[in-house]
Amino acid sequence: MTGRTLFFVVLLCCGGSLAIAGGDAARPVFRFGLTPVVLHENTNIYVQLERYLGKAMGLPVKAVQRGTYAQIMDALKSGEVEAAWVCGLPYTRNASWLHLVAVPLNGFDNNKPLYRSLIITSNENVHSLTDLRGRVYAFSDPDSNSGHLVPEYLLHRRGSRPDLFFRAFFFTNSHRKVVRAVSAGLADGGSVDSYVFHALQKDEPELTRHVRVIETSEEFAFPPVVAPKKADSGRIGAFQRALLGMRDSRQGRRLLHQLHLAGFTRGRPEMFASIQAMDREVFTLAVSR
Amino acid sequence: MKRLLARYRSLRLGVKLPLTTAAIIYFAAFSIMAVVLVPQWLNMEENVKADAEGFVQSAALILTPRLLHADYWHAYEELVKLASHAPAGWRTLVVVLDSDDRIFVSNRPRQYPISQRLGKLSDWPESGTRLLRDQRRLEITAPLMNDEARIGTLLFRASLSRLFSFMGWTILKIAGIATLIAIAGVVVGIVTSRRMSEPIVALRRSLGKLQRRQYADVEEIPVRDHDEIGELALCFNQLVHELRVQAELEKQVSKAERLAAMGRMVATAAHEIHNPLGGVLNSLSTLEKHAYDPEVRRSCLQTMHTGLEQIRHVVDEMLGYSRGNIGNKPYRKQDLDDIMRLLMQEAQKQGISLHSAWDAPDCIDVPAGVFQEIVVNLLMNAIQACARGGRVDVSLGQSNGLAVLEVRDNGCGMPESLRESLFEPFCSTKPDGTGLGLWVVCRIVDELGGLIHVESEAGRGSTFRIEIPQPGQQAKGMQKEAARALG
């Protein structure tokens, strides 16, 4: 074999390899974004979710975790993830380029796609939001409806602001960590998602044993699953079908049971109108002061 | 201390040995404790200090950026994580203060809430490490620096109770083990001391009996081990055996001597009988020849009567001596007179004068039988020691409740060399002597609890003084003394 012949053989081999790689590129991994704001860092659930979605969509699925809603929104914007489970607040703020894929059904609230914001405490002397004046408060994520917007809204309605009302406040970027901060006494009060709180009461009763709910908000639309409008509609459609059909398979039902969800519904953007209205009011009040 | 030592020395072996064993075990255990635990304790303190300072350095490194960004939650999370990796038992407390000395974060937020003033933490050291042994805790104050500016302070406190209780437990365990070993040692000590003391106690008991010559009652010491005590027991048992044999021999010799003495008595008696018997026979012969002469008949009958009276008297004395008629009765003046009369003929035949003196009431409270043996032996020795023309004096009296017999002669006396072995058996200067007379006297005097004093000078004679306690007289003497004292 001459040197030239050898060169062509190598070239052919490389070409074959590229062709195979191109075949995988035709079916790229579907990246699905999640935050620990709602789900806690249970790797097992992420793996099961990847397996279920991969099987249902006929695609390799990868669950991508980010620490905050802002990071997830950046990932959606950049195309790093094709869809994400986010809060109602970032959805309404970015509704212009986001498409509502599905809304989970809250397993603790009559299987409706609704939830509430709760104000919790472990301080015996605290019985209402008013009692938290001059104390330490824990928010979850700055872009969380239940974990930040709702209590901020309540304070604005009272003519105050977190930095004026509380002695100190901080963000934990997770509803579960808010419960931890309140339970440990680091914060005198905190805001949490009712779905997360009820899930913790069931899964980690020790964490919520000394924690009381002192304020309950009105109902809001459950944190939705969204995708950029520019995303591949075929892949997003497959993803939506997989979510909506989750309760139809045994594997899916098991997963839903672990997530304390009843299933998924298509949802409508109008469901999030109350959150959007509250956000605008807070913004207006903040600007006016 | 001296009294304690004296008390310890006077303790019985059965107490002393277990006590000593236990004391040695405790001393060893506490010495080991002092040698091993004290340096270990100091080392542990240094290690804890070094660990705590390392912990504080790590905490400062992690918490400084959190303090800079007022990130309460992550500061708390990291602090809790860090504290959970601290050694068990430290019960670590970390409080981070901001530049205004307000609490930024603590791993015990309920006690030390965010943004509160220092309050009860004001007793923390200004800076550096402080070990408070009395409070069993370690405290460190470290500045939190950013670009050479102090942005806060880290206060660290670790409880050393666990360390103290660990040491306490170690000491307790060692003390407990030492106690167990000491108990075992005491048990072993008791068993050993019993094994040691039992033969010694038996030996002491047996020696007492030996002292009182109760050979038959002396118990043999059991030989358990072949150590020094075993060998001592063996030697003692051998000694007892030999003493018993010797005692038996002595008894036999004593009996032989008594028989010999009786033989000598019989010879003397035969001599005593011989003379009056000759007179009786002569009178009988004269009577046969001159039976019709009333004067001769009366004289012969008188002589025969006197002779036969003398013979009967000698026979009576003989019977009395041989049968031991006088036995344990008190010794009477008559007993001395009898023996004087018996020995008088023998003495006169050798040209020796025999004198007696009785300076006491009618009887002396000593067993007459054995006392008579003493008198006979001493008198016969004295007679034999005297040359023709010699003199023997015997006197019997009382002094301070003692019966005092003194036999003095002006015979040949005894050389110095003989005096040392005077009372040993078979010691005699006479060719026909048995050498047992004085040995018998000595044994009898010993048995009666008396004393023998001997004075002798070669060529000038000897004096034997025997003092024998009289039980009755002693009691009376004591009563008299008591009455005198009361009166």
Side-chain angles (χ1 to χ4, degrees):
Chain A
M1 195 180 283
T2 64
R4 184 170 291 181
T5 317
L6 183 64
F7 173 76
F8 279 114
V9 169
V10 170
L11 202 66
L12 277 170
C13 289
C14 289
S17 301
L18 286 169
I20 293 162
D24 274 357
R27 294 175 65 245
V29 174
F30 185 86
R31 293 180 182 275
F32 171 54
L34 292 159
T35 65
V37 181
V38 177
L39 286 175
H40 58 79
E41 297 92 332
N42 188 336
T43 312
N44 187 36
I45 283 183
Y46 292 151
V47 170
Q48 285 185 50
L49 199 59
E50 284 171 354
R51 277 187 195 154
Y52 168 75
L53 291 172
K55 193 179 169 187
M57 291 168 69
L59 287 172
V61 174
K62 175 74 184 163
V64 176
Q65 293 182 66
R66 289 292 176 269
T68 62
Y69 284 132
Q71 288 171 340
I72 280 289
M73 294 314 288
D74 286 345
L76 275 170
K77 209 176 270 181
S78 67
E80 190 186 344
V81 294
E82 290 175 70
W85 188 5
V86 294
C87 183
L89 180 61
Y91 165 62
T92 56
R93 282 176 180 171
N94 299 280
S96 58
W97 58 275
L98 286 176
H99 164 67
L100 186 64
V101 176
V103 182
L105 298 171
N106 186 349
F108 297 109
D109 199 1
N110 294 322
N111 301 338
K112 289 178 188 168
L114 300 170
Y115 79 114
R116 294 165 196 271
S117 171
L118 307 177
I119 294 178
I120 55 168
T121 186
S122 63
N123 191 323
E124 287 177 0
N125 302 317
V126 174
H127 303 287
S128 67
L129 182 61
T130 313
D131 293 335
L132 286 166
R133 184 184 289 277
R135 294 183 188 270
V136 180
Y137 200 79
F139 295 108
S140 60
D141 189 287
D143 294 326
S144 165
N145 173 51
S146 58
H148 185 218
L149 181 65
V150 174
E152 195 176 21
Y153 173 74
L154 291 173
L155 290 178
H156 278 291
R157 291 293 296 265
R158 291 170 191 225
S160 188
R161 286 193 327 243
D163 58 321
L164 299 173
F165 190 77
F166 300 119
R167 186 172 83 236
F169 67 91
F170 55 87
F171 292 94
T172 67
N173 296 328
S174 153
H175 289 295
R176 184 175 174 276
K177 287 178 180 176
V178 168
V179 178
R180 268 186 62 200
V182 170
S183 177
L186 185 69
D188 298 298
S191 294
V192 289
D193 181 322
S194 65
Y195 156 73
V196 175
F197 187 71
H198 292 138
L200 288 173
Q201 278 184 319
K202 202 162 187 182
D203 296 342
E204 297 177 68
E206 195 54 44
L207 190 62
T208 56
R209 187 185 295 275
H210 303 293
V211 178
R212 291 179 291 118
V213 176
I214 53 167
E215 300 270 353
T216 307
S217 75
E218 59 179 290
E219 286 183 331
F220 297 102
F222 205 88
V225 178
V226 297
K229 284 178 179 170
K230 63 176 182 181
D232 184 330
S233 59
R235 288 165 70 89
I236 296 298
F239 179 55
Q240 190 181 44
R241 281 192 298 280
L243 291 177
L244 297 176
M246 197 179 272
R247 57 184 161 189
D248 299 331
S249 76
R250 204 171 63 180
Q251 191 186 359
R253 280 195 298 275
R254 195 165 62 231
L255 195 55
L256 286 170
H257 178 74
Q258 282 181 304
L259 290 166
H260 302 293
L261 294 174
F264 286 86
T265 181
R266 281 179 194 278
R268 288 168 292 106
E270 302 82 60
M271 288 167 67
F272 300 91
S274 60
I275 296 173
Q276 195 174 25
M278 197 164 54
D279 188 29
R280 279 182 187 154
E281 193 177 334
V282 169
F283 180 76
T284 310
L285 286 169
V287 169
S288 65
R289 282 200 183 101
Chain B
M1 189 66 191
K2 271 186 178 178
R3 281 180 67 185
L4 206 68
L5 207 65
R7 281 190 75 174
Y8 171 77
R9 280 180 177 160
S10 63
L11 285 175
R12 297 255 166 206
L13 203 61
V15 178
K16 201 188 290 184
L17 199 62
L19 210 65
T20 310
T21 312
I24 288 169
I25 289 166
Y26 272 114
F27 179 74
F30 284 102
S31 302
I32 291 167
M33 231 189 289
V35 170
V36 175
L37 290 188
V38 171
Q40 197 188 343
W41 171 250
L42 295 174
N43 195 31
M44 276 166 83
E45 273 188 356
E46 283 306 310
N47 287 345
V48 167
K49 260 190 200 174
D51 288 351
E53 282 165 0
F55 179 92
V56 167
Q57 273 182 7
S58 305
L61 213 62
I62 291 166
L63 296 173
T64 301
R66 300 300 179 191
L67 175 61
L68 208 59
H69 301 126
D71 188 352
Y72 296 102
W73 172 252
H74 289 104
Y76 171 74
E77 267 202 317
E78 279 156 358
L79 190 54
V80 168
K81 221 175 278 178
L82 204 63
S84 71
H85 286 93
W90 268 18
R91 290 192 285 157
T92 314
L93 167 66
V94 178
V95 181
V96 178
L97 305 176
D98 60 18
S99 53
D100 295 332
D101 278 348
R102 286 179 183 276
I103 296 166
F104 167 65
V105 75
S106 149
N107 62 329
R108 292 185 207 166
R110 282 190 196 280
Q111 282 173 273
Y112 305 102
I114 290 172
S115 287
Q116 292 286 357
R117 282 275 171 201
L118 198 59
K120 59 180 175 182
L121 301 177
S122 53
D123 63 336
W124 228 283
E126 281 292 311
S127 64
T129 306
R130 184 168 69 176
L131 181 68
L132 302 163
R133 284 199 183 87
D134 54 335
Q135 295 172 39
R136 298 182 175 186
R137 67 187 195 203
L138 182 75
E139 290 177 347
I140 300 174
T141 303
L144 297 178
M145 308 294 287
N146 185 53
D147 286 340
E148 296 182 359
R150 186 178 183 134
I151 59 163
T153 311
L154 190 146
L155 307 176
F156 168 89
R157 179 181 286 168
S159 165
L160 301 180
S161 295
R162 193 147 167 177
L163 202 66
F164 275 86
S165 57
F166 167 74
M167 287 308 284
W169 268 110
T170 308
I171 290 167
L172 268 179
K173 273 185 220 167
I174 293 175
I177 291 167
T179 304
L180 286 178
I181 297 172
I183 290 169
V186 165
V187 171
V188 171
I190 288 170
V191 172
T192 311
S193 62
R194 277 204 180 158
R195 284 181 80 92
M196 281 171 72
S197 63
E198 265 175 15
I200 293 170
V201 169
L203 192 66
R204 190 191 59 192
R205 223 172 18 237
S206 299
L207 279 171
K209 287 175 183 171
L210 275 188
Q211 211 173 10
R212 294 190 295 275
R213 293 177 176 268
Q214 297 168 341
Y215 300 125
D217 298 338
V218 174
E219 57 188 291
E220 286 209 348
I221 313 297
V223 181
R224 282 185 184 150
D225 303 313
H226 297 284
D227 52 10
E228 291 86 339
I229 292 173
E231 283 171 14
L232 179 70
L234 268 174
C235 289
F236 180 79
N237 292 341
Q238 184 66 30
L239 178 71
V240 169
H241 175 72
E242 283 170 11
L243 283 172
R244 277 181 184 150
V245 169
Q246 194 179 336
E248 189 56 35
L249 274 171
E250 281 178 8
K251 205 183 274 181
Q252 286 173 13
V253 168
S254 175
K255 196 174 173 183
E257 169 59 13
R258 286 176 71 112
L259 286 171
M262 195 178 284
R264 287 197 296 275
M265 287 295 294
V266 168
T268 307
H271 184 260
E272 291 298 312
I273 289 168
H274 183 260
N275 288 340
L277 194 62
V280 169
L281 287 171
N282 280 337
S283 299
L284 202 61
S285 177
T286 308
L287 197 61
E288 278 174 357
K289 289 173 186 167
H290 309 283
Y292 302 105
D293 184 345
E295 188 57 31
V296 171
R297 196 167 60 200
R298 190 189 56 81
S299 169
C300 284
L301 283 173
Q302 181 63 42
T303 305
M304 282 168 70
H305 185 264
T306 306
L308 286 171
E309 274 293 318
Q310 275 181 353
I311 289 166
R312 190 178 70 178
H313 191 71
V314 170
V315 169
D316 282 348
E317 282 173 359
M318 278 286 297
L319 285 173
Y321 185 82
S322 64
R323 287 177 189 161
N325 278 359
I326 50 176
N328 287 329
K329 291 189 293 185
Y331 193 75
R332 295 167 296 128
K333 186 174 182 301
Q334 183 61 45
D335 298 326
L336 182 65
D337 291 344
D338 285 347
I339 207 72
M340 288 297 288
R341 194 175 302 113
L342 208 60
L343 297 176
M344 192 65 84
Q345 291 291 331
E346 177 68 19
Q348 281 174 353
K349 200 167 73 183
Q350 292 179 28
I352 296 162
S353 61
L354 205 55
H355 307 274
S356 70
W358 182 275
D359 185 18
D362 282 346
C363 61
I364 292 171
D365 192 12
V366 290
V370 287
F371 194 77
Q372 191 73 306
E373 272 189 59
I374 296 172
V375 177
V376 167
N377 272 302
L378 291 179
L379 277 175
M380 286 178 75
N381 278 351
I383 291 166
Q384 284 167 1
C386 287
R388 181 164 290 278
R391 178 187 170 104
V392 174
D393 286 283
V394 59
S395 68
L396 231 162
Q398 282 181 323
S399 171
N400 298 325
L402 298 170
V404 183
L405 168 71
E406 202 169 274
V407 178
R408 184 183 293 116
D409 67 73
N410 58 357
C412 56
M414 287 175 286
E416 187 74 30
S417 59
L418 186 65
R419 263 180 259 165
E420 287 170 12
S421 53
L422 196 59
F423 297 103
E424 286 175 14
F426 310 110
C427 168
S428 177
T429 53
K430 301 182 286 287
D432 57 341
T434 59
L436 292 168
L438 283 178
W439 176 71
V440 169
V441 167
C442 183
R443 278 195 61 229
I444 293 169
V445 171
D446 266 354
E447 277 174 25
L448 296 175
L451 286 170
I452 305 174
H453 303 274
V454 182
E455 288 172 22
S456 183
E457 198 178 335
R460 299 198 63 174
S462 307
T463 302
F464 284 80
R465 182 183 165 89
I466 311 288
E467 292 173 355
I468 291 168
Q470 301 176 88
Q473 287 299 316
Q474 277 181 331
K476 279 178 198 170
M478 282 167 78
Q479 279 173 0
K480 273 180 190 171
E481 275 180 27
R484 213 175 292 137
L486 287 168

